[in-house]
């Protein structure tokens, strides 16, 4: 029998309870569904981007919020980070396999919403 969404056993054999405040899966969901987490994952769906490219692709996000969001998503294993040792350093971000798996339904949701919006709502 498959486990419920609330109680699921992870690959390491630990049991996750998403309604418990100490559940590590809950932290990942919080980061993904944060105000900016979704937009970072959607922005990276087409490939890797440098920090400034991400900032330009997500209108309204501050550098501070982008840095905090990226830090959380990297720590969760959803996004990878590569630093080129140049002056100034060039930092590139992309989706990990886990990030692509999580981002795919978000991208589908975004695409469905934008397809259903009338032209009047899109302005």
């Amino acid at each position: 029998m498959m486990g419920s969404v609330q109680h699921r056993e992870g690959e390491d054999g630990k049991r996750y309870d998403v309604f418990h405040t100490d559940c590590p899966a809950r932290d990942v969901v919080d980061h993904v569904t944060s105000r900016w987490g979704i937009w970072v994952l959607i922005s990276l769906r087409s490939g890797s981007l440098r920090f400034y490219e991400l900032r330009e692709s997500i209108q309204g996000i501050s550098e501070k919020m982008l840095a905090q969001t990226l830090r959380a998503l990297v720590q969760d294993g959803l996004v990878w980070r590569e630093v080129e040792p140049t002056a100034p350093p060039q930092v590139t971000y992309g989706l990990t396999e886990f990030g692509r798996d999580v981002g795919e339904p978000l991208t589908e949701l975004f695409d469905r919403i934008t397809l259903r919006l009338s032209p009047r709502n899109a302005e």
Side-chain angles (χ1 to χ4, degrees), residues 117-123:
L117 283 177
S118 68
R120 162 184 71 146
N121 292 340
E123 296 174 358

Side-chain angles (χ1 to χ4, degrees), residues 2 4 7 11 13 18-19 22 24 28 31 34 42 44 55 63 65 67 69 75 84-85 88 95 98 108 112 117:
M2 181 172 262
S4 70
H7 301 282
E11 290 180 14
V18 297
F19 291 114
D22 292 337
V28 174
H31 295 151
S34 70
I42 289 173
L44 291 172
R55 188 185 68 227
E63 284 190 30
M65 285 310 304
T69 302
Q75 186 174 1
E84 295 177 38
L95 294 178
F98 181 34
E108 289 176 13
R112 285 181 187 190
L117 283 177

Side-chain angles (χ1 to χ4, degrees), residues 20-65:
H20 193 279
T21 57
D22 292 337
C23 179
R26 188 172 178 168
D27 289 337
V28 174
V29 170
D30 287 344
H31 295 151
V32 168
T33 60
S34 70
R35 179 172 182 189
W36 301 110
I38 291 172
W39 302 117
V40 168
L41 294 176
I42 289 173
S43 292
L44 291 172
R45 70 182 167 178
S46 298
S48 60
L49 294 171
R50 291 198 172 133
F51 184 88
Y52 76 89
E53 293 171 322
L54 263 172
R55 188 185 68 227
E56 290 177 6
S57 73
I58 306 171
Q59 293 186 5
I61 192 169
S62 69
E63 284 190 30
K64 178 182 176 183
M65 285 310 304

